[in-house]
Amino acid sequence: MNDKASHDDLIRAIQKLLSESFHGLLSTHSVKFPGYPFGSLLPICLDSKGNPHILISHLAQHTQNLDANPHCSLMLYETGQEDVQQLARLTCLAKAEPIHSPSVAERYFRYYPESRRYHKELNFIFYRLTIEQFYFIGGFGSARWFDVSRITPPTPLSAADESELLYQLNTHKQAPLKHYLSQQGVSTTAASIEAIGANLLGVDVRLDHHLQHIHFQQPLSDVRDFIQQLDQA
């Protein structure tokens, strides 16, 4: 494999792992014990630029840590039964900032409906993690730094385009969507199947309470391409 092909494969692997991760290990600088990192396992939801958003309590240790020092890291990892050193891992060095955006909140609630109560009743706060560097381990003995500018995100969908696509998938294209999922090896025996997010690299679905990302074999050029794929499947 030549260097260009190897580089492109690594980029695609990073994009795939980032897209299919719904939780990660957030490490912050401890205020209580200076000099020590503090780890928290948290659900995440990406924005159109690939930056994760988290919803956290103002009382939590990690929130206090971020307010004192916004520099943090988020570790994402491939799941599997084999040796963990053979699995892909991605460390995202980021800077956290609180964000107040109705569109970010509504997208997050589509992924985690139960979190709406935390935000409304318990005053949980949204933070955006703006990624600055990636450290990707593709398996044992394979590790490399990537500047965030080198991980080109897919052309983002507008909120209107994503909403229209999700409406079509969940209203008029439920049967074709289930057929497509089964072709991708996804069990469709869940009582509830709902498309909750999409970009030109893939679509996210909720199968009852389980979240799953379906990565397209080839990036799409337009959301209408996916509807056509469903109709032709």
Side-chain angles (χ1 to χ4, degrees):
M1 181 181 295
N2 61 43
D3 290 343
K4 177 63 164 61
S6 177
H7 178 269
D8 290 345
D9 287 343
L10 286 173
I11 296 297
R12 284 191 289 269
I14 291 173
Q15 290 176 333
K16 183 175 184 296
L17 183 53
L18 189 61
S19 296
E20 67 188 14
S21 297
F22 297 107
H23 61 268
L25 179 64
L26 177 72
S27 294
T28 56
H29 296 268
S30 176
V31 172
K32 187 175 179 63
F33 298 100
Y36 287 89
F38 183 86
S40 307
L41 188 63
L42 296 171
I44 63 172
C45 182
L46 303 182
D47 63 16
S48 61
K49 296 182 179 179
N51 289 312
H53 288 80
I54 56 177
L55 179 63
I56 49 181
S57 169
H58 66 285
L59 299 175
Q61 288 286 306
H62 44 240
T63 309
Q64 296 173 35
N65 294 343
L66 289 176
D67 287 343
N69 186 340
H71 295 94
C72 59
S73 77
L74 179 71
M75 182 181 179
L76 311 175
Y77 49 90
E78 181 184 12
T79 57
Q81 299 300 317
E82 59 265 42
D83 182 355
V84 294
Q85 290 183 299
Q86 298 296 333
L87 299 176
R89 287 94 77 195
L90 181 65
T91 298
C92 311
L93 300 187
K95 188 174 182 179
E97 60 178 336
I99 182 170
H100 305 281
S101 167
S103 61
V104 165
E106 287 307 314
R107 192 171 199 273
Y108 189 96
F109 296 148
R110 284 207 307 269
Y111 283 73
Y112 309 106
E114 69 284 355
S115 66
R116 188 183 294 272
R117 181 175 66 85
Y118 303 150
H119 182 57
K120 182 177 180 180
E121 299 177 10
L122 302 177
N123 296 318
F124 276 40
I125 305 162
F126 284 102
Y127 280 72
R128 174 187 289 135
L129 307 182
T130 301
I131 300 174
E132 298 177 351
Q133 291 282 337
F134 291 106
Y135 187 67
F136 181 65
I137 302 176
F140 187 78
S142 172
R144 189 168 174 181
W145 283 101
F146 285 88
D147 186 84
V148 68
S149 63
R150 299 173 67 187
I151 311 300
T152 305
T155 302
L157 297 181
S158 68
D161 281 346
E162 185 182 35
S163 295
E164 175 60 23
L165 176 60
L166 297 180
Y167 172 77
Q168 291 294 331
L169 294 177
N170 293 321
T171 305
H172 302 299
K173 301 294 182 179
Q174 264 279 301
L177 176 61
K178 290 181 180 179
H179 180 62
Y180 178 83
L181 293 176
S182 66
Q183 288 185 320
Q184 305 305 309
V186 178
S187 173
T188 56
T189 59
S192 172
I193 297 177
E194 180 185 9
I196 55 174
N199 60 33
L200 298 182
L201 291 180
V203 61
D204 297 326
V205 295
R206 180 185 295 106
L207 309 168
D208 288 338
H209 300 292
H210 173 68
L211 300 182
Q212 185 156 348
H213 175 76
I214 310 302
H215 206 72
F216 301 141
Q217 292 184 350
Q218 295 293 331
L220 303 182
S221 58
D222 188 273
V223 292
R224 289 182 288 271
D225 292 349
F226 186 47
I227 297 296
Q228 292 175 357
Q229 285 186 22
L230 292 182
D231 292 335
Q232 295 168 4

